[in-house]
Coordinates of all heavy atoms in Angstrom, one line a residue:
M82 N -22.1 1.0 -1.2 CA -21.1 0.1 -0.6 C -19.7 0.3 -1.2 O -18.7 0.1 -0.5 CB -21.6 -1.4 -0.7 CG -20.8 -2.4 0.0 SD -21.0 -2.2 1.7 CE -20.0 -3.5 2.3
T83 N -19.7 0.6 -2.5 CA -18.4 0.8 -3.2 C -17.7 2.0 -2.6 O -16.4 1.9 -2.5 CB -18.7 0.9 -4.7 OG1 -19.4 -0.2 -5.2 CG2 -17.4 1.0 -5.5
K84 N -18.4 3.0 -2.3 CA -17.8 4.2 -1.8 C -17.1 3.9 -0.4 O -16.1 4.4 -0.1 CB -18.7 5.4 -1.7 CG -19.1 6.0 -3.0 CD -20.0 7.2 -2.8 CE -20.4 7.7 -4.2 NZ -21.3 8.9 -4.1
L85 N -17.8 3.1 0.4 CA -17.3 2.7 1.7 C -16.0 1.9 1.5 O -15.0 2.2 2.3 CB -18.3 1.9 2.5 CG -17.9 1.4 3.8 CD1 -17.6 2.6 4.8 CD2 -18.9 0.5 4.4
I86 N -16.0 1.0 0.6 CA -14.8 0.2 0.3 C -13.6 1.1 -0.2 O -12.5 0.9 0.2 CB -15.1 -0.9 -0.6 CG1 -16.0 -1.9 0.0 CG2 -13.8 -1.6 -1.1 CD1 -16.5 -3.0 -0.9
A87 N -14.0 2.1 -1.0 CA -13.0 3.1 -1.5 C -12.4 3.9 -0.3 O -11.2 4.1 -0.3 CB -13.6 4.0 -2.5
I88 N -13.2 4.3 0.6 CA -12.7 5.0 1.8 C -11.9 4.1 2.6 O -10.8 4.6 3.1 CB -13.9 5.6 2.6 CG1 -14.6 6.7 1.7 CG2 -13.5 6.1 3.9 CD1 -15.9 7.2 2.3
I89 N -12.3 2.9 2.8 CA -11.5 1.9 3.6 C -10.1 1.7 2.9 O -9.1 1.7 3.6 CB -12.2 0.6 3.8 CG1 -13.4 0.8 4.7 CG2 -11.3 -0.5 4.2 CD1 -14.3 -0.4 4.7
N90 N -10.1 1.7 1.6 CA -8.9 1.5 0.8 C -7.9 2.7 1.1 O -6.7 2.4 1.4 CB -9.2 1.4 -0.7 CG -8.0 1.1 -1.5 OD1 -7.1 0.5 -1.0 ND2 -8.1 1.4 -2.8
V91 N -8.4 3.9 1.0 CA -7.5 5.0 1.2 C -7.0 5.1 2.7 O -5.8 5.3 2.9 CB -8.3 6.3 0.9 CG1 -7.5 7.6 1.3 CG2 -8.6 6.4 -0.6
V92 N -7.9 4.9 3.6 CA -7.5 4.9 5.0 C -6.5 3.8 5.4 O -5.5 4.0 6.1 CB -8.7 4.9 6.0 CG1 -8.3 4.7 7.4 CG2 -9.5 6.2 5.8
A93 N -6.7 2.6 4.8 CA -5.8 1.5 5.1 C -4.4 1.7 4.5 O -3.4 1.5 5.2 CB -6.4 0.2 4.5
W94 N -4.4 2.2 3.3 CA -3.0 2.5 2.7 C -2.3 3.6 3.4 O -1.1 3.6 3.5 CB -3.1 2.7 1.2 CG -3.3 1.5 0.4 CD1 -4.4 1.1 -0.3 CD2 -2.4 0.4 0.3 NE1 -4.2 -0.1 -0.9 CE2 -3.0 -0.6 -0.5 CE3 -1.2 0.1 0.9 CZ2 -2.4 -1.8 -0.8 CZ3 -0.6 -1.1 0.6 CH2 -1.2 -2.1 -0.2
A95 N -3.1 4.6 3.8 CA -2.5 5.7 4.6 C -1.9 5.2 5.9 O -0.8 5.6 6.3 CB -3.5 6.8 4.9
G96 N -2.6 4.3 6.6 CA -2.1 3.7 7.8 C -0.9 2.8 7.5 O 0.0 2.8 8.3
F97 N -0.9 2.1 6.4 CA 0.3 1.3 6.0 C 1.5 2.2 5.9 O 2.6 1.9 6.5 CB 0.0 0.6 4.7 CG 1.3 0.0 4.1 CD1 1.9 -1.0 4.6 CD2 1.8 0.6 2.9 CE1 3.1 -1.5 4.1 CE2 2.9 0.1 2.3 CZ 3.6 -0.9 2.9
W98 N 1.4 3.3 5.2 CA 2.6 4.2 5.0 C 3.0 4.8 6.2 O 4.2 5.0 6.5 CB 2.3 5.2 3.9 CG 2.3 4.5 2.5 CD1 1.2 4.3 1.7 CD2 3.4 4.0 1.8 NE1 1.6 3.7 0.6 CE2 2.9 3.5 0.6 CE3 4.8 3.9 2.1 CZ2 3.8 2.9 -0.3 CZ3 5.6 3.3 1.2 CH2 5.1 2.8 0.0
A99 N 2.0 5.3 7.0 CA 2.3 6.0 8.3 C 3.0 5.1 9.3 O 4.1 5.4 9.8 CB 1.1 6.6 8.9
F100 N 2.4 3.9 9.5 CA 3.0 3.0 10.5 C 4.2 2.3 10.0 O 5.1 1.9 10.7 CB 1.9 2.0 10.9 CG 0.9 2.6 11.8 CD1 -0.4 2.7 11.4 CD2 1.2 3.0 13.1 CE1 -1.4 3.3 12.2 CE2 0.3 3.6 13.9 CZ -1.0 3.7 13.5
G101 N 4.3 2.2 8.7 CA 5.5 1.6 8.1 C 6.7 2.6 8.3 O 7.8 2.1 8.6
Y102 N 6.4 3.8 8.1 CA 7.5 4.8 8.4 C 7.9 4.8 9.9 O 9.1 4.9 10.2 CB 7.1 6.2 8.0 CG 8.0 7.3 8.4 CD1 9.2 7.5 7.7 CD2 7.8 8.1 9.5 CE1 10.2 8.4 8.1 CE2 8.7 9.1 9.9 CZ 9.9 9.2 9.2 OH 10.8 10.2 9.5
L103 N 6.9 4.7 10.7 CA 7.2 4.7 12.2 C 8.0 3.4 12.5 O 8.9 3.5 13.4 CB 5.9 4.7 13.0 CG 5.2 6.1 13.0 CD1 3.9 5.9 13.8 CD2 6.0 7.2 13.6
A104 N 7.7 2.3 11.9 CA 8.4 1.1 12.2 C 9.9 1.2 11.7 O 10.8 0.7 12.4 CB 7.8 -0.1 11.5
L105 N 10.1 1.8 10.6 CA 11.4 2.0 10.0 C 12.3 3.0 10.8 O 13.5 2.9 10.9 CB 11.4 2.3 8.6 CG 10.9 1.2 7.6 CD1 10.8 1.8 6.2 CD2 11.9 0.0 7.7
S106 N 11.6 4.0 11.3 CA 12.3 5.1 12.0 C 12.4 4.9 13.5 O 12.9 5.8 14.2 CB 11.7 6.4 11.7 OG 10.4 6.5 12.2
A107 N 11.8 3.8 14.0 CA 11.8 3.6 15.5 C 13.2 3.3 16.0 O 14.0 2.7 15.2 CB 10.9 2.5 15.9
D108 N 13.5 3.6 17.2 CA 14.8 3.3 17.8 C 14.9 1.8 18.0 O 14.0 1.1 18.3 CB 14.9 4.1 19.1 CG 16.3 4.0 19.7 OD1 17.2 3.9 18.9 OD2 16.4 4.2 20.9
I109 N 16.1 1.3 17.7 CA 16.3 -0.1 17.7 C 16.1 -0.7 19.1 O 15.7 -1.8 19.3 CB 17.8 -0.4 17.2 CG1 17.8 -0.6 15.8 CG2 18.5 -1.4 18.0 CD1 17.7 -1.8 15.1
Q110 N 16.4 0.1 20.2 CA 16.2 -0.4 21.5 C 14.8 -0.5 21.9 O 14.4 -1.2 22.9 CB 17.0 0.4 22.5 CG 18.5 0.2 22.5 CD 19.2 1.0 21.4 OE1 18.6 2.0 20.9 NE2 20.4 0.6 21.0
N111 N 13.9 0.3 21.3 CA 12.5 0.3 21.6 C 11.7 -0.7 20.7 O 11.0 -0.4 19.8 CB 11.9 1.7 21.4 CG 10.6 1.9 22.1 OD1 10.0 1.0 22.6 ND2 10.2 3.2 22.1
T112 N 11.9 -2.0 21.1 CA 11.3 -3.0 20.2 C 9.8 -3.1 20.3 O 9.1 -3.5 19.4 CB 11.8 -4.4 20.6 OG1 11.6 -4.6 22.0 CG2 13.3 -4.5 20.3
G113 N 9.2 -2.7 21.5 CA 7.7 -2.7 21.6 C 7.1 -1.7 20.6 O 6.1 -2.1 20.0
Q114 N 7.7 -0.5 20.5 CA 7.1 0.4 19.5 C 7.3 -0.1 18.1 O 6.4 0.1 17.3 CB 7.8 1.8 19.7 CG 7.4 2.9 18.8 CD 8.1 4.1 18.9 OE1 9.1 4.2 19.7 NE2 7.7 5.2 18.2
M115 N 8.4 -0.7 17.8 CA 8.7 -1.2 16.5 C 7.7 -2.3 16.1 O 7.2 -2.3 15.0 CB 10.1 -1.6 16.4 CG 10.6 -1.9 15.0 SD 12.2 -2.6 14.8 CE 13.2 -1.4 15.7
I116 N 7.5 -3.2 17.0 CA 6.7 -4.4 16.7 C 5.2 -3.9 16.5 O 4.5 -4.4 15.6 CB 6.8 -5.4 17.8 CG1 8.2 -6.0 17.9 CG2 5.7 -6.5 17.7 CD1 8.6 -6.8 16.6
T117 N 4.8 -3.0 17.4 CA 3.4 -2.4 17.3 C 3.2 -1.8 15.9 O 2.2 -2.0 15.2 CB 3.1 -1.5 18.4 OG1 3.3 -2.1 19.6 CG2 1.7 -0.9 18.3
A118 N 4.2 -1.0 15.5 CA 4.1 -0.3 14.2 C 4.1 -1.3 13.1 O 3.4 -1.1 12.1 CB 5.2 0.7 14.1
V119 N 4.9 -2.3 13.1 CA 5.0 -3.3 12.1 C 3.7 -4.1 12.0 O 3.2 -4.3 10.9 CB 6.2 -4.3 12.3 CG1 6.0 -5.5 11.4 CG2 7.5 -3.6 12.1
V120 N 3.1 -4.4 13.1 CA 1.8 -5.1 13.1 C 0.7 -4.2 12.5 O -0.1 -4.7 11.6 CB 1.4 -5.6 14.5 CG1 0.0 -6.1 14.5 CG2 2.4 -6.7 14.9
L121 N 0.7 -3.0 12.9 CA -0.4 -2.1 12.3 C -0.1 -1.8 10.9 O -1.1 -1.7 10.1 CB -0.4 -0.8 13.1 CG -0.9 -0.9 14.6 CD1 -0.8 0.4 15.3 CD2 -2.4 -1.3 14.5
A122 N 1.1 -1.7 10.4 CA 1.4 -1.5 9.0 C 1.0 -2.7 8.2 O 0.4 -2.6 7.1 CB 2.9 -1.2 8.8
A123 N 1.2 -3.9 8.7 CA 0.8 -5.1 8.1 C -0.7 -5.2 8.0 O -1.2 -5.6 6.9 CB 1.4 -6.3 8.8
L124 N -1.4 -4.8 9.0 CA -2.9 -4.8 9.0 C -3.4 -3.8 7.9 O -4.3 -4.1 7.2 CB -3.5 -4.5 10.3 CG -3.4 -5.6 11.4 CD1 -3.8 -5.1 12.7 CD2 -4.2 -6.8 11.0
G125 N -2.7 -2.6 7.9 CA -3.1 -1.6 6.9 C -2.9 -2.1 5.5 O -3.7 -1.9 4.6
A126 N -1.7 -2.8 5.2 CA -1.4 -3.4 3.9 C -2.4 -4.4 3.5 O -2.9 -4.5 2.4 CB 0.0 -3.9 3.9
G127 N -2.7 -5.3 4.5 CA -3.7 -6.4 4.2 C -5.1 -5.9 3.9 O -5.7 -6.3 2.9
L128 N -5.5 -5.0 4.7 CA -6.9 -4.4 4.5 C -6.9 -3.5 3.2 O -7.9 -3.6 2.4 CB -7.3 -3.5 5.7 CG -8.7 -3.0 5.7 CD1 -9.7 -4.1 5.7 CD2 -8.9 -2.1 6.9
G129 N -5.8 -2.8 2.9 CA -5.8 -2.0 1.7 C -5.8 -2.9 0.4 O -6.4 -2.6 -0.6
L130 N -5.0 -4.0 0.5 CA -5.0 -4.9 -0.7 C -6.3 -5.6 -0.9 O -6.8 -5.7 -2.0 CB -3.9 -6.0 -0.4 CG -3.6 -6.9 -1.6 CD1 -3.1 -6.1 -2.8 CD2 -2.6 -7.9 -1.2
W131 N -7.0 -6.0 0.2 CA -8.3 -6.6 0.1 C -9.3 -5.6 -0.5 O -10.1 -6.0 -1.4 CB -8.8 -7.0 1.5 CG -10.2 -7.5 1.5 CD1 -10.7 -8.7 1.2 CD2 -11.4 -6.7 1.9 NE1 -12.1 -8.7 1.3 CE2 -12.5 -7.5 1.7 CE3 -11.5 -5.3 2.3 CZ2 -13.8 -7.0 2.0 CZ3 -12.8 -4.9 2.5 CH2 -13.9 -5.7 2.4
A132 N -9.3 -4.3 0.0 CA -10.2 -3.3 -0.6 C -9.9 -3.0 -2.0 O -10.8 -2.9 -2.8 CB -10.1 -2.1 0.3
Y133 N -8.6 -3.0 -2.4 CA -8.3 -2.7 -3.8 C -8.8 -3.8 -4.7 O -9.3 -3.5 -5.8 CB -6.8 -2.6 -3.9 CG -6.3 -2.4 -5.3 CD1 -6.5 -1.2 -6.0 CD2 -5.7 -3.4 -6.0 CE1 -6.1 -1.0 -7.3 CE2 -5.3 -3.3 -7.3 CZ -5.5 -2.1 -8.0 OH -5.1 -1.9 -9.3
I134 N -8.6 -5.1 -4.3 CA -9.1 -6.2 -5.1 C -10.6 -6.2 -5.2 O -11.1 -6.4 -6.3 CB -8.6 -7.5 -4.5 CG1 -7.1 -7.6 -4.5 CG2 -9.2 -8.7 -5.2 CD1 -6.5 -7.6 -5.9
R135 N -11.3 -5.8 -4.2 CA -12.8 -5.7 -4.2 C -13.2 -4.6 -5.2 O -14.1 -4.8 -6.0 CB -13.3 -5.4 -2.9 CG -13.3 -6.5 -1.9 CD -14.3 -7.6 -2.1 NE -15.6 -7.1 -2.2 CZ -16.6 -7.3 -1.3 NH1 -16.3 -8.0 -0.3 NH2 -17.8 -6.8 -1.5
L136 N -12.5 -3.5 -5.2 CA -12.8 -2.4 -6.1 C -12.5 -2.8 -7.6 O -13.3 -2.4 -8.5 CB -12.0 -1.1 -5.7 CG -12.4 -0.4 -4.4 CD1 -11.5 0.7 -4.1 CD2 -13.9 0.1 -4.6
V137 N -11.4 -3.5 -7.8 CA -11.1 -3.9 -9.2 C -12.2 -4.9 -9.7 O -12.7 -4.8 -10.8 CB -9.7 -4.5 -9.2 CG1 -9.5 -5.2 -10.6 CG2 -8.7 -3.4 -9.0
R138 N -12.5 -5.8 -8.8 CA -13.6 -6.8 -9.2 C -14.9 -6.1 -9.5 O -15.6 -6.5 -10.5 CB -13.8 -7.8 -8.2 CG -12.7 -8.9 -8.1 CD -13.0 -9.9 -7.1 NE -11.9 -10.9 -6.9 CZ -11.9 -11.8 -6.1 NH1 -12.9 -12.0 -5.2 NH2 -10.9 -12.7 -6.0
H139 N -15.3 -5.1 -8.7 CA -16.5 -4.4 -8.9 C -16.5 -3.6 -10.2 O -17.4 -3.6 -11.0 CB -16.8 -3.5 -7.7 CG -18.0 -2.7 -8.0 ND1 -19.3 -3.2 -7.9 CD2 -18.2 -1.3 -8.3 CE1 -20.2 -2.2 -8.2 NE2 -19.5 -1.1 -8.4
S140 N -15.4 -2.9 -10.5 CA -15.3 -2.1 -11.7 C -15.3 -3.0 -13.0 O -15.8 -2.6 -14.0 CB -14.0 -1.2 -11.7 OG -12.9 -2.0 -11.7
E141 N -14.7 -4.2 -12.9 CA -14.8 -5.1 -14.0 C -16.2 -5.7 -14.2 O -16.6 -5.8 -15.4 CB -13.8 -6.2 -13.9 CG -12.3 -5.8 -14.1 CD -11.3 -6.9 -13.8 OE1 -11.8 -8.0 -13.4 OE2 -10.1 -6.7 -14.0
S142 N -16.8 -6.0 -13.2 CA -18.2 -6.6 -13.3 C -19.2 -5.6 -13.7 O -20.2 -6.0 -14.3 CB -18.6 -7.3 -12.0 OG -18.7 -6.4 -11.0
S143 N -19.0 -4.3 -13.3 CA -20.0 -3.3 -13.7 C -19.8 -2.8 -15.1 O -20.6 -2.0 -15.6 CB -20.0 -2.2 -12.7 OG -18.7 -1.5 -12.8
G144 N -18.6 -3.1 -15.7 CA -18.4 -2.6 -17.1 C -17.6 -1.3 -17.1 O -17.4 -0.7 -18.1
Y145 N -17.3 -0.8 -15.9 CA -16.5 0.5 -15.9 C -15.1 0.3 -16.4 O -14.6 1.2 -17.1 CB -16.5 1.0 -14.4 CG -15.9 2.4 -14.3 CD1 -16.5 3.5 -14.8 CD2 -14.6 2.5 -13.7 CE1 -15.9 4.8 -14.7 CE2 -14.0 3.7 -13.6 CZ -14.6 4.9 -14.1 OH -14.0 6.1 -14.0
A146 N -14.5 -0.8 -16.1 CA -13.2 -1.1 -16.6 C -13.2 -2.4 -17.4 O -13.9 -3.3 -17.0 CB -12.2 -1.2 -15.4
P147 N -12.5 -2.5 -18.5 CA -12.5 -3.7 -19.2 C -11.7 -4.8 -18.5 O -10.7 -4.5 -17.8 CB -11.8 -3.4 -20.5 CG -11.0 -2.2 -20.2 CD -11.7 -1.4 -19.2
P148 N -12.1 -6.0 -18.6 CA -11.4 -7.1 -17.9 C -10.0 -7.2 -18.6 O -9.9 -6.9 -19.8 CB -12.2 -8.3 -18.1 CG -13.2 -8.0 -19.1 CD -13.3 -6.5 -19.2
P149 N -9.0 -7.6 -17.9 CA -7.6 -7.7 -18.5 C -7.6 -8.8 -19.5 O -8.3 -9.8 -19.5 CB -6.7 -8.0 -17.3 CG -7.6 -8.7 -16.3 CD -9.0 -8.0 -16.5
K150 N -6.7 -8.6 -20.5 CA -6.5 -9.6 -21.5 C -5.8 -10.8 -20.9 O -4.8 -10.6 -20.2 CB -5.7 -9.1 -22.7 CG -6.4 -8.0 -23.4 CD -5.6 -7.5 -24.6 CE -6.4 -6.4 -25.3 NZ -5.7 -5.9 -26.4
R151 N -6.2 -12.0 -21.2 CA -5.6 -13.2 -20.6 C -4.5 -13.6 -21.5 O -4.4 -13.3 -22.7 CB -6.7 -14.3 -20.4 CG -7.9 -13.9 -19.6 CD -7.5 -13.7 -18.2 NE -8.6 -13.3 -17.4 CZ -8.6 -12.6 -16.3 NH1 -7.5 -12.1 -15.9 NH2 -9.7 -12.3 -15.7
A152 N -3.6 -14.4 -21.0 CA -2.4 -14.9 -21.7 C -2.8 -16.1 -22.5 O -2.0 -16.6 -23.3 CB -1.3 -15.2 -20.7
Y153 N -4.0 -16.7 -22.4 CA -4.4 -17.9 -23.1 C -4.9 -17.5 -24.5 O -5.9 -16.7 -24.6 CB -5.4 -18.6 -22.4 CG -5.0 -19.0 -21.0 CD1 -5.6 -18.4 -19.9 CD2 -4.0 -19.9 -20.8 CE1 -5.1 -18.7 -18.6 CE2 -3.5 -20.2 -19.5 CZ -4.1 -19.7 -18.4 OH -3.7 -20.0 -17.2
P154 N -4.3 -18.0 -25.6 CA -4.9 -17.7 -26.9 C -6.2 -18.4 -27.1 O -6.5 -19.4 -26.6 CB -3.8 -18.2 -27.8 CG -3.1 -19.3 -27.1 CD -3.2 -18.9 -25.6
S155 N -7.0 -17.8 -28.0 CA -8.3 -18.4 -28.3 C -8.1 -19.6 -29.2 O -7.1 -19.7 -29.9 CB -9.2 -17.4 -28.9 OG -8.7 -17.0 -30.1
S156 N -9.0 -20.5 -29.3 CA -8.8 -21.7 -30.0 C -9.0 -21.5 -31.5 O -8.7 -22.4 -32.3 CB -9.8 -22.8 -29.5 OG -11.1 -22.3 -29.7
N157 N -9.5 -20.4 -32.0 CA -9.7 -20.2 -33.4 C -8.6 -19.4 -34.1 O -8.7 -19.1 -35.2 CB -11.1 -19.5 -33.6 CG -11.1 -18.1 -32.9 OD1 -10.2 -17.7 -32.3 ND2 -12.3 -17.5 -33.1
E158 N -7.5 -19.2 -33.4 CA -6.4 -18.5 -34.0 C -5.5 -19.5 -34.8 O -5.5 -20.7 -34.5 CB -5.5 -17.8 -32.9 CG -6.1 -16.6 -32.3 CD -5.2 -16.0 -31.2 OE1 -4.0 -16.4 -31.2 OE2 -5.7 -15.1 -30.5
E159 N -4.8 -19.0 -35.8 CA -4.0 -19.9 -36.6 C -2.8 -20.4 -35.8 O -2.3 -19.7 -34.9 CB -3.4 -19.1 -37.8 CG -4.4 -18.8 -38.9 CD -3.8 -18.2 -40.1 OE1 -2.7 -18.5 -40.4 OE2 -4.5 -17.3 -40.7
G160 N -2.4 -21.6 -36.1 CA -1.2 -22.1 -35.4 C -1.6 -23.0 -34.2 O -0.7 -23.6 -33.6
N161 N -2.8 -23.0 -33.8 CA -3.2 -23.8 -32.6 C -3.7 -25.1 -33.1 O -4.4 -25.2 -34.1 CB -4.3 -23.1 -31.8 CG -3.8 -21.8 -31.1 OD1 -2.6 -21.7 -31.0 ND2 -4.7 -21.0 -30.7
A162 N -3.4 -26.1 -32.4 CA -3.9 -27.5 -32.8 C -5.2 -27.8 -32.2 O -5.7 -27.3 -31.3 CB -2.9 -28.5 -32.3

């Protein structure tokens, strides 16, 4: 399942960049093409972000990547009340 999510991640981000470029380079008078490209780019970005977060969560829970250090100090450090 992780490989499938990784493939979805790559395809979604590729769609985001491709359709984002098409949206930016579309002719101003052709609003239908521009709106379609913007919507598809937004879907690619959303799906890519979702897949990336799923992959990060999986890698942290499986022990492949260490969880990030939190900004909260532990209660046994000096200077804490």
